[in-house]
Amino acid sequence: MPQKLTLEEINIALKSLTGWEYQNDFFIQHFVFKNFVDAFGFMSRVALLAEKMDHHPDWSNAYNRVVVKLRTHDAAGITEKDIKLAGLINQLS
Amino acid sequence: MPQKLTLEEINIALKSLTGWEYQNDFFIQHFVFKNFVDAFGFMSRVALLAEKMDHHPDWSNAYNRVVVKLRTHDAAGITEKDIKLAGLINQLS
């Protein structure tokens, strides 16, 4: 099982993860797109990636807005898997 | 613009909309699937339908769970568009 990171490790990781914040034990980022097609297109790309990594976001969508929250539930916190997924999501957005 | 329905009209509509509830000015339904692939597959089908209808849900997903909320924002309430979309989503689920 991946190991839960310390707050210090999380803060170091966040420096290279543009747009992500650490709130209530989750990595969180709000994305805004031009319209629903672009928002759901983004979600579809993330979904394929998440399934491949077997690491899935908690997320919501309302029209052109997507909120993505990341956490490793098994570790009850942020792990390397979240850092990796957060970085890859940034590449897709 | 579609007209906001009365509470009485909403309650009549809900009788034929299995699984949907009216909460805080939204139609809401919680769906549970076998896994993420099934949950996101459902979302993808709903997304195509919603875009075609130009009427989009507010929704969230966590692994195999999807929560769908419907409301006509322009009318600040439930309209015939929500009833139609709710019924079609039931057919897709």
Side-chain angles (χ1 to χ4, degrees):
Chain A
M1 192 197 297
Q3 200 175 346
K4 180 179 172 173
L5 300 186
T6 65
L7 186 56
E8 189 179 353
E9 290 169 325
I10 289 169
N11 283 328
I12 290 170
L14 282 175
K15 288 181 186 172
S16 54
L17 291 172
T18 306
W20 291 95
E21 292 180 14
Y22 180 62
Q23 286 179 4
N24 303 319
D25 293 334
F26 280 90
F27 274 2
I28 184 168
Q29 186 166 178
H30 296 249
F31 296 90
V32 181
F33 298 90
K34 196 176 63 182
N35 52 36
F36 178 74
V37 169
D38 283 4
F40 200 79
F42 164 71
M43 292 179 75
S44 299
R45 293 193 297 278
V46 172
L48 295 172
L49 175 67
E51 181 62 18
K52 192 173 177 181
M53 287 178 65
D54 194 22
H55 191 56
H56 304 85
D58 290 1
W59 51 357
S60 63
N61 160 245
Y63 193 60
N64 66 329
R65 294 171 183 276
V66 179
V67 180
V68 182
K69 292 169 69 182
L70 303 178
R71 183 170 189 255
T72 305
H73 293 282
D74 290 345
I78 301 294
T79 68
E80 289 293 342
K81 291 180 85 168
D82 301 298
I83 291 172
K84 183 179 175 187
L85 183 54
L88 291 170
I89 288 174
N90 275 3
Q91 290 178 28
L92 291 179
S93 70
Chain B
M1 192 198 295
Q3 200 175 346
K4 180 179 172 174
L5 300 186
T6 66
L7 187 55
E8 189 180 352
E9 290 169 325
I10 289 169
N11 283 327
I12 290 169
L14 282 175
K15 288 181 186 171
S16 55
L17 290 172
T18 307
W20 291 95
E21 294 179 12
Y22 180 63
Q23 285 178 5
N24 302 319
D25 294 334
F26 279 90
F27 274 3
I28 185 168
Q29 186 167 177
H30 295 248
F31 297 89
V32 180
F33 298 90
K34 196 176 63 181
N35 52 35
F36 178 74
V37 169
D38 284 3
F40 200 78
F42 164 72
M43 292 179 76
S44 299
R45 292 193 297 277
V46 172
L48 294 172
L49 174 68
E51 181 62 18
K52 192 173 178 181
M53 289 178 63
D54 194 21
H55 191 54
H56 305 84
D58 291 0
W59 52 356
S60 63
N61 159 245
Y63 192 59
N64 66 329
R65 293 170 183 276
V66 179
V67 180
V68 182
K69 292 169 68 182
L70 304 179
R71 184 171 189 258
T72 304
H73 294 282
D74 290 345
I78 301 294
T79 68
E80 289 292 343
K81 291 180 84 168
D82 300 298
I83 291 172
K84 183 178 175 188
L85 184 54
L88 291 171
I89 287 174
N90 275 3
Q91 291 178 27
L92 291 179
S93 71

